[in-house]
């Protein structure tokens, strides 16, 4: 009976080509490997997402909560046609990006979670995700939204997304924006970088273990500081929590 | 005139700050008062460039003096573009030196990230000539780009030299917990690698992303006092010994030789002469590297190196933290950040820390004489300061 019920609850994924791993050099000189992970590796990254559930800055809390659920949904077969890419520096987890296919022609961008900020790590991972949709899944457009204003501005400015406001996005039902194949091709030369194949030693190191982020965003001292700050025109609660974190008070 | 001493100093992180401009100004002031061990001041100067335009906040000094419960002390807002901070310090110095006041607080504060980068760039561009520059789309990066191209052709500076400034200052910023950027970078990553053009795209040819300072929020505060008051506090005696200011043509294209920064030269000369020291006496300096080229050129114009040889000193490592004359130990505008109105005060704060021996991992050994150059406009209004540790 349980198996019969599981057959009903578990979606059947459509066949999809793998994302070939790629390599790029960051401004820091470090090598970033972006590769696809399978369900078996999801438990390895969940512990690195969980601490971000209470980081309000840049909407890390909402993004990480949704990513956590999406990763579980993937690992436990409750999300159809999902894929997950990770970006690693020397094994260290630097970013997670994921998405899914709505149908053969339309992709859905789910999240871009940078666990190490700066150096365009999130932007490189996002570009790899879009490359997967257009170059490997051969889709015509990808529906995109962002919880964080910083992320939204970045995608908007860099890719000049088109409106698809008639289509509610799977993330919160908000109006969608779209990256079309044409827009992606225009941005390709300047934004989509990386080399293949990844040298075997680097790839093996990345596959051997997903190491924890070395400097993840820290949860606040006061979990509700940002919420309270909405009603606090002075912003003092936010300022105090940050300074407390930094050991300045 | 009386001698003037820095008795207290503090800053916020230069970063993206999520609280109002008046609080960005008030918090470093509270910490500077704590640092000085005083609770009363005679007068307050607040340096700010964009409060009225970017934050909808005018009369900033009036708001801040009340936030700090320092009324009925006098309070004024000082605006002199990106040199507002050092201009406010100059006003504070004049007030104490003249005997008008005994204890003066100088704050610099800016909240630029309330708007996006494009709007922030446009706001700063309003300091250019409205009819001869601004209406044609001139921005500070574009002026700096043209200036850099000329400098490269005339003196042999290369993109690699510019990258070396960025790498050095990012490295220093990593040692400064209050700096905006804590990202070590390498020449390979921003110039040589196949991905360098994406990591480090052109902003205003030949200047690239890592040649430009970030847009920052932040505040800093320095409290100045007479010798009599400073001595009572029993702290290291850091004297603001030299103040210089000079101007140049508003339009860059009207300068006889656009690669000469005459206002930097003039302001530095005054600041050294008043202090009774030479450029070669300086142990540590903060220069206004809003663009990497400016650190190289200012290091020549203030007299540290011969004209056209700043990049050679950089190559030799003279300006590194362990070099003969460490420049921008704080990370500079490039790494520490550039909240325009606060920058000059932030530079002074770094020098005060260095002369006190309180700069932590970026401490320059036995630093006794420090220097700052705060560059307004595109070199059309410059304020330089010389600080000396007396004991």
């Amino acid at each position: 009976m349980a198996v019969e019920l599981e057959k009903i609850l578990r979606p059947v994924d459509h066949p999809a080509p793998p994302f070939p791993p790629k390599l790029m050099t960051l401004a820091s000189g470090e090598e970033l490997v972006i590769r696809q992970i399978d369900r078996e590796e999801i438990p390895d990254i969940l512990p690195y997402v969980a601490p971000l559930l209470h980081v309000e800055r840049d909407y890390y809390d909402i993004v990480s909560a949704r990513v956590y659920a999406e990763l579980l949904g993937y690992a436990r077969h409750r999300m159809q046609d999902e894929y997950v890419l990770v970006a690693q520096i020397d094994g260290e987890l630097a970013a997670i990006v994921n998405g899914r296919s709505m149908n053969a022609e339309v992709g859905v961008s789910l999240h871009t979670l940078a666990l190490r900020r700066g150096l365009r790590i999130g932007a490189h991972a996002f570009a790899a995700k879009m490359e997967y949709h257009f170059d490997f899944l051969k889709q015509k457009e990808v529906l995109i939204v962002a919880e964080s204003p910083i992320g939204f501005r970045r995608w908007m400015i860099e890719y000049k997304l088109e409106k698809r406001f008639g289509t509610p996005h799977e993330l919160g039902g908000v109006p969608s924006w779209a990256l079309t194949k044409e827009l992606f091709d225009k941005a390709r030369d300047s934004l989509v970088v990386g080399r293949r194949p990844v040298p075997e030693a680097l790839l093996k190191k990345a596959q051997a273990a997903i190491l924890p982020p070395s400097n993840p965003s820290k949860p606040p001292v006061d979990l509700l500081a940002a919420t309270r700050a909405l009603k606090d025109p002075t912003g003092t609660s936010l300022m105090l929590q940050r300074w407390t974190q930094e050991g300045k008070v | 005139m009386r001698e003037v001493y820095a008795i207290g100093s503090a800053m916020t992180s230069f970063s993206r700050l999520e609280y109002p401009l008046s609080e960005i100004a008030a918090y470093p002031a509270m910490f500077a008062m704590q640092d000085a061990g005083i609770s009363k001041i005679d007068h307050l100067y607040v340096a700010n460039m964009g409060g009225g335009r970017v934050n909808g906040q005018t009369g900033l000094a009036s708001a801040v003096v009340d936030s700090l419960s320092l009324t009925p002390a006098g309070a004024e807002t000082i605006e002199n573009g990106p040199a507002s901070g050092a201009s406010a310090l100059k006003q504070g110095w004049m007030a104490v030196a003249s005997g008008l006041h005994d204890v003066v607080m100088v704050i610099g504060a800016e909240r630029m990230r309330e708007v996006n980068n494009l709007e922030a760039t446009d706001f700063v561009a309003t300091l250019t000539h409205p009819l001869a520059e601004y209406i044609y789309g001139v921005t500070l990066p574009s002026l700096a780009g043209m200036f850099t191209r000329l400098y490269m052709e005339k003196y042999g500076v290369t993109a690699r030299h510019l990258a070396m400034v960025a790498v050095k200052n990012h490295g220093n910023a990593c040692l400064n917990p209050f700096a905006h950027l804590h990202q070590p970078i390498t020449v390979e990553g921003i110039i040589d690698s196949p991905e360098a053009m994406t990591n480090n795209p052109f902003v205003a040819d030949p200047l690239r992303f890592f040649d430009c300072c970030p847009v920052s929020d932040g505040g800093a505060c320095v409290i100045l006092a007479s010798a009599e008051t400073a001595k009572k506090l029993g702290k290291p005696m850091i004297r603001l010994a030299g103040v210089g200011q000079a101007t140049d043509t508003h339009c860059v294209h009207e300068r006889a030789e656009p690669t000469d920064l005459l206002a930097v030269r003039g302001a530095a000369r005054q600041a050294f002469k008043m202090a009774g020291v030479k450029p070669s006496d300086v142990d540590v300096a903060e220069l206004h590297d809003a663009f990497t080229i400016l650190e190289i050129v200012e290091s020549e114009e203030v007299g540290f190196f011969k004209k056209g040889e700043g990049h050679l000193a950089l190559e030799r490592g003279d300006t590194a933290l362990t070099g003969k004359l460490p420049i921008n130990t704080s990370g500079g505008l490039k790494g520490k950040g550039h909240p325009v109105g606060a920058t000059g005060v932030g530079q002074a704060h770094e020098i005060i820390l260095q002369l006190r021996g309180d700069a932590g991992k970026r401490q320059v050994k036995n630093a006794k004489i420090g220097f700052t150059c705060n560059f307004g406009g595109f070199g059309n209004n410059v304020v330089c300061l010389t600080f000396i540790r007396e004991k």
Side-chain angles (χ1 to χ4, degrees):
Chain A
M1 184 62 192
V3 172
E4 291 305 311
L5 196 54
E6 182 62 18
K7 279 183 184 173
I8 296 169
L9 296 176
R10 178 179 292 201
V12 178
D13 288 341
H14 294 85
F19 174 84
K22 67 193 299 192
L23 168 74
M24 58 201 70
T25 304
L26 299 173
S28 60
E30 295 164 297
E31 305 285 13
L32 185 77
V33 174
I34 300 179
R35 66 184 181 92
Q36 187 169 13
I37 59 170
D38 207 341
R39 290 185 167 85
E40 287 70 24
E41 287 185 275
I42 297 298
D44 296 342
I45 63 174
L46 288 174
Y48 309 142
V49 178
L52 302 173
L53 290 170
H54 296 291
V55 177
E56 291 159 318
R57 188 173 170 78
D58 294 343
Y59 290 78
Y60 265 88
D61 49 0
I62 294 177
V63 171
S64 59
R66 288 178 169 176
V67 167
Y68 198 97
E70 289 155 7
L71 294 175
L72 283 180
Y74 177 53
R76 296 171 66 183
H77 299 276
R78 289 298 181 270
M79 179 91 90
Q80 190 170 27
D81 292 329
E82 188 183 354
Y83 66 88
V84 180
L85 310 181
V86 293
Q88 293 172 271
I89 301 168
D90 224 10
E92 172 192 333
L93 183 62
I96 301 167
V97 287
N98 65 337
R100 60 180 295 273
S101 291
M102 179 179 278
N103 54 49
E105 295 192 341
V106 180
V108 178
S109 173
L110 291 172
H111 284 99
T112 300
L113 179 64
L115 290 101
R116 198 203 276 194
R117 291 171 66 93
L119 301 171
R120 290 190 66 82
I121 290 170
H124 285 319
F126 179 85
K129 171 162 77 164
M130 294 303 128
E131 184 188 36
Y132 184 51
H133 280 282
F134 292 114
D135 293 354
F136 298 98
L137 297 177
K138 305 291 184 190
Q139 290 172 323
K140 291 182 177 170
E141 67 177 33
V142 181
L143 299 177
I144 296 169
V145 290
E147 287 93 348
S148 153
I150 291 178
F152 180 69
R153 268 193 221 136
R154 163 156 271 176
W155 316 142
M156 279 301 297
I157 291 171
E158 295 195 339
Y159 291 92
K160 302 178 175 61
L161 305 182
E162 287 182 4
K163 290 175 183 172
R164 288 290 181 278
F165 283 6
T167 309
H169 198 281
E170 292 180 6
L171 296 177
V174 300
S176 295
W177 296 77
L179 179 64
T180 63
K181 175 75 162 55
E182 187 184 359
L183 289 174
F184 181 71
D185 285 340
K186 282 182 187 169
R188 187 187 292 273
D189 285 348
S190 58
L191 299 178
V192 186
V193 295
R195 287 157 274 156
R196 293 187 173 97
V198 179
E200 196 177 334
L202 274 175
L203 188 58
K204 275 191 175 171
K205 180 154 195 181
Q207 290 168 332
I210 301 178
L211 302 174
S214 56
N215 187 22
S217 294
K218 293 172 192 151
V221 175
D222 176 354
L223 296 182
L224 290 175
T227 307
R228 246 197 304 282
L230 295 174
K231 297 174 183 171
D232 169 16
T234 67
T236 306
S237 50
L238 271 180
M239 184 280 307
L240 276 176
Q241 76 165 16
R242 177 139 186 219
W243 282 30
T244 305
Q245 275 179 353
E246 293 171 356
K248 293 171 191 167
V249 291
Chain B
M1 286 198 285
R2 302 194 297 173
E3 291 183 336
V4 180
Y5 293 82
I7 61 169
S9 177
M11 65 180 282
T12 67
S13 296
F14 282 6
S15 178
R16 182 165 69 88
L17 301 177
E18 291 144 331
Y19 41 101
L21 177 61
S22 57
E23 292 202 16
I24 290 175
Y27 283 106
M30 292 196 297
F31 281 87
M33 289 169 77
Q34 189 179 43
D35 179 48
I38 61 164
S39 57
K40 286 182 70 178
I41 59 139
D42 300 326
H43 200 93
L44 171 67
Y45 293 99
V46 182
N48 172 258
M49 181 179 167
R53 182 183 169 104
V54 176
N55 316 107
Q57 165 90 65
T58 58
L60 183 60
S62 309
V64 176
V65 74
D66 186 36
S67 295
L68 292 168
S69 299
L70 291 173
T71 53
E76 285 162 297
T77 305
I78 304 290
E79 194 276 307
N80 185 24
S84 298
S87 271
L89 280 161
K90 181 188 162 199
Q91 297 300 318
W93 177 87
M94 287 164 63
V96 176
S98 67
L100 180 65
H101 296 301
D102 201 52
V103 180
V104 166
M105 173 180 278
V106 180
I107 299 170
E110 203 73 59
R111 189 180 183 197
M112 303 176 74
R113 294 188 66 115
E114 190 155 338
V115 294
N116 66 39
N117 279 5
L118 302 178
E119 291 174 69
T121 300
D122 181 59
F123 140 65
V124 177
T126 60
L127 56 72
T128 62
H129 194 292
L131 298 178
E133 292 178 327
Y134 182 79
I135 61 165
Y136 296 108
V138 163
T139 61
L140 272 291
S142 71
L143 284 176
M146 291 185 279
F147 177 87
T148 306
R149 178 61 66 200
L150 282 175
Y151 221 84
M152 286 174 149
E153 288 176 3
K154 190 165 183 183
Y155 294 109
V157 173
T158 65
R160 191 165 291 272
H161 291 116
L162 303 180
M164 287 167 71
V165 174
V167 169
K168 171 180 75 71
N169 291 351
H170 273 242
N172 290 349
C174 288
L175 303 176
N176 181 356
F178 290 82
H180 190 155
L181 302 176
H182 292 122
Q183 292 175 351
I185 55 173
T186 62
V187 173
E188 185 209 355
I190 63 174
I191 294 284
D192 296 333
S193 74
E195 289 79 29
M197 193 58 80
T198 296
N199 292 337
N200 190 21
F202 282 104
V203 172
D205 186 11
L207 293 178
R208 297 165 69 152
F209 178 77
F210 281 105
D211 291 313
C212 306
C213 66
V215 175
S216 315
D217 303 330
C221 177
V222 169
I223 301 175
L224 301 173
S226 64
E228 188 183 4
T229 299
K231 279 175 189 162
K232 285 180 194 163
L233 300 171
K235 295 201 168 190
M237 295 288 282
I238 312 297
R239 183 159 63 95
L240 177 46
V243 178
Q245 183 170 18
T247 55
D248 202 343
T249 62
H250 193 184
C251 295
V252 176
H253 63 257
E254 288 182 345
R255 296 175 193 170
E257 175 46 68
T259 54
D260 287 344
L261 295 176
L262 298 182
V264 174
R265 207 177 292 174
R269 194 178 295 145
Q270 291 173 38
F272 285 128
K273 186 179 177 189
M274 184 186 291
V277 299
K278 305 185 295 295
S280 57
D281 295 328
V282 171
D283 299 309
V284 57
E286 288 284 301
L287 302 182
H288 193 111
D289 57 332
F291 305 99
T292 47
I293 185 69
L294 290 180
E295 179 179 302
I296 293 172
V297 182
E298 288 169 22
S299 72
E300 300 162 1
E301 297 287 12
V302 305
F304 294 149
F305 310 110
K306 286 182 184 167
K307 185 73 179 170
E309 295 187 5
H311 63 295
L312 303 178
L314 180 74
E315 275 181 6
R316 292 192 300 267
D318 290 357
T319 57
L321 198 51
T322 52
K324 288 179 189 169
L325 173 53
I327 291 177
N328 287 328
T329 55
S330 68
L333 283 64
K334 180 70 205 74
K336 184 177 67 175
H338 185 25
V340 282
T343 286
V345 186
Q347 289 177 316
H349 171 67
E350 174 68 10
I351 293 299
I352 292 164
L353 289 183
Q354 289 285 355
L355 299 191
R356 283 179 178 178
D358 288 342
K361 290 177 182 169
R362 60 188 193 282
Q363 179 66 49
V364 174
K365 203 174 174 185
N366 296 323
K368 296 283 190 295
I369 298 177
F371 178 83
T372 67
C373 176
N374 195 188
F375 184 89
F378 197 79
N380 56 35
N381 199 328
V382 178
V383 182
C384 292
L385 306 173
T386 305
F387 293 84
I388 297 177
R389 175 173 175 152
E390 293 190 339
K391 64 167 187 172

